[in-house]
Amino acid sequence: MPTRQIGPFTVSAIGLGCMNLSHAYGVPPSPEEGERILLAALDAGVTLFDTAALYGFGANEKLVGRVMKPHRSRFTLASKGGMAGVQFDDGVKRVIDGSPAAIRRDCENSLRHLQTDVIDLYYLHRWDKRVPIEDSVGAMSDLVRAGKVQTIGLSEVSAATIRKAHAVHPITAVQTEYSLWTRNPEIAVLDACRDIGAAFVAFSPLARAYLTGRLTDVSTLDAKDIRRPMPRFSPENYAANLKLLAPYAALADELGCTPAQLALAWLLHKAPHIVPIPGTTRLDHLHEDLGAAEVQLSADAMARVEALINQHNVVGPRYAPQGTGEVDTENFA
């Protein structure tokens, strides 16, 4: 597996997003199946594992902690706080809270769930716009000084917020959705990361399965699947977006790879500071994704694939109004 740099850490060029082993896309796999995915990824050379306090309201961190504790020295561990499940009278609900007290609480819970003394890369999962970014990052820098976190990162923030945060404490990585159909980071964030020496970690690099070509009927999505309220996955919009896939799949076939591998290879060729973290619940898909590291794309192939699926022809915003309001990323006009 080729490697890339995230601050002081040399990691596999393709990491593993662990979220869907416990969260988000309908009924998650069993813990035993999740364990098989994690260990298979490690055996295949993956050395970046990404989780968060939010995923499964702690269940994902507990799974990663239990399974990966014996192998802790072999990989870089990333998690996120500032957005977690909080117990209310009517159940556990997702809460964005970037206050210093909440960040300390989330980190302590994550350390316990992950069964580790230190988290290598700790992100602010969402910027709580009620709290100055300087205050949230200041609390995270306290965690670094306390030895509980080695480096810190941000998720779904703008270039301006990145620079404000970096003035308080070095930002090692920024994590944002990035794929052929979500190109927002190209506005300013990719450049901001390069300028400050931060890695850019691309989540949902396969466009939540769209770019695999395997999701052809959104009516089959589970009732609790987080894609259901996303505008791009509405039946009407998704039907329009599906029309983009036939020439894209044909190009992948011409280049000797699968559509999923083409999507990941495109990210790897965009810039050396980009690290995609696809997630999966299947071993065959895991090995398919990792095979993208071997796909070589010429400048002509890059231009052709970018012309097929981009911000000008994808139908629908990536989030519904609530989700859009929770992120700080730039948007195309």
Side-chain angles (χ1 to χ4, degrees), residues 21-63:
L21 298 178
S22 310
H23 178 87
Y25 299 126
V27 179
S30 68
E32 292 76 21
E33 291 171 324
E35 179 175 352
R36 281 194 286 273
I37 293 291
L38 292 169
L39 294 179
L42 187 67
D43 287 344
V46 173
T47 58
L48 174 64
F49 290 78
D50 182 277
T51 180
L54 177 70
Y55 303 159
F57 296 146
N60 195 245
E61 287 184 325
K62 291 175 182 176
L63 172 67

Side-chain angles (χ1 to χ4, degrees), residues 72 77 103-105 107-111 114 116-122 139-152:
R72 184 65 185 85
L77 175 63
I103 288 172
R104 289 191 294 268
R105 177 201 66 209
C107 184
E108 292 292 347
N109 288 338
S110 292
L111 288 167
L114 291 164
T116 188
D117 294 328
V118 62
I119 297 169
D120 300 319
L121 173 56
Y122 193 61
M140 297 172 76
S141 69
D142 290 340
L143 298 174
V144 175
R145 283 187 286 273
K148 296 178 179 181
V149 168
Q150 290 205 60
T151 64
I152 66 174

Side-chain angles (χ1 to χ4, degrees), residues 20-235:
N20 55 357
L21 298 178
S22 310
H23 178 87
Y25 299 126
V27 179
S30 68
E32 292 76 21
E33 291 171 324
E35 179 175 352
R36 281 194 286 273
I37 293 291
L38 292 169
L39 294 179
L42 187 67
D43 287 344
V46 173
T47 58
L48 174 64
F49 290 78
D50 182 277
T51 180
L54 177 70
Y55 303 159
F57 296 146
N60 195 245
E61 287 184 325
K62 291 175 182 176
L63 172 67
V64 172
R66 175 180 63 80
V67 174
M68 305 298 284
K69 181 181 180 181
H71 314 285
R72 184 65 185 85
S73 63
R74 296 174 56 190
F75 66 94
T76 297
L77 175 63
S79 193
K80 312 176 198 71
M83 182 164 67
V86 176
Q87 181 68 53
F88 293 91
D89 291 341
D90 56 348
V92 180
K93 297 182 179 180
R94 188 188 72 160
V95 172
I96 296 175
D97 188 347
S99 66
I103 288 172
R104 289 191 294 268
R105 177 201 66 209
D106 290 351
C107 184
E108 292 292 347
N109 288 338
S110 292
L111 288 167
R112 184 174 66 256
H113 294 161
L114 291 164
Q115 300 187 43
T116 188
D117 294 328
V118 62
I119 297 169
D120 300 319
L121 173 56
Y122 193 61
Y123 293 94
L124 183 66
H125 203 158
R126 289 290 186 274
W127 173 33
D128 180 352
K129 298 172 185 178
R130 303 166 300 176
V131 180
I133 190 65
E134 293 89 345
D135 292 355
S136 296
V137 172
M140 297 172 76
S141 69
D142 290 340
L143 298 174
V144 175
R145 283 187 286 273
K148 296 178 179 181
V149 168
Q150 290 205 60
T151 64
I152 66 174
L154 304 171
S155 178
E156 290 281 18
V157 292
S158 65
T161 301
I162 292 168
R163 296 184 193 281
K164 288 179 182 178
H166 189 67
V168 176
H169 188 277
I171 300 300
T172 295
V174 174
Q175 181 173 139
T176 293
E177 181 176 354
Y178 187 33
S179 69
L180 284 164
W181 87 341
T182 297
R183 308 288 276 276
N184 308 60
E186 296 174 6
I187 300 171
V189 166
L190 285 175
D191 287 345
C193 288
R194 185 197 61 227
D195 291 346
I196 67 171
F200 180 91
V201 176
F203 76 78
S204 295
L206 299 178
R208 305 182 192 276
Y210 166 73
L211 289 169
T212 68
R214 290 186 281 262
L215 178 60
T216 57
D217 183 0
V218 291
S219 70
T220 63
L221 296 177
D222 185 87
K224 294 184 178 180
D225 193 302
I226 64 170
R227 290 170 289 189
R228 278 200 170 270
M230 292 178 177
R232 290 179 182 177
F233 290 92
S234 72

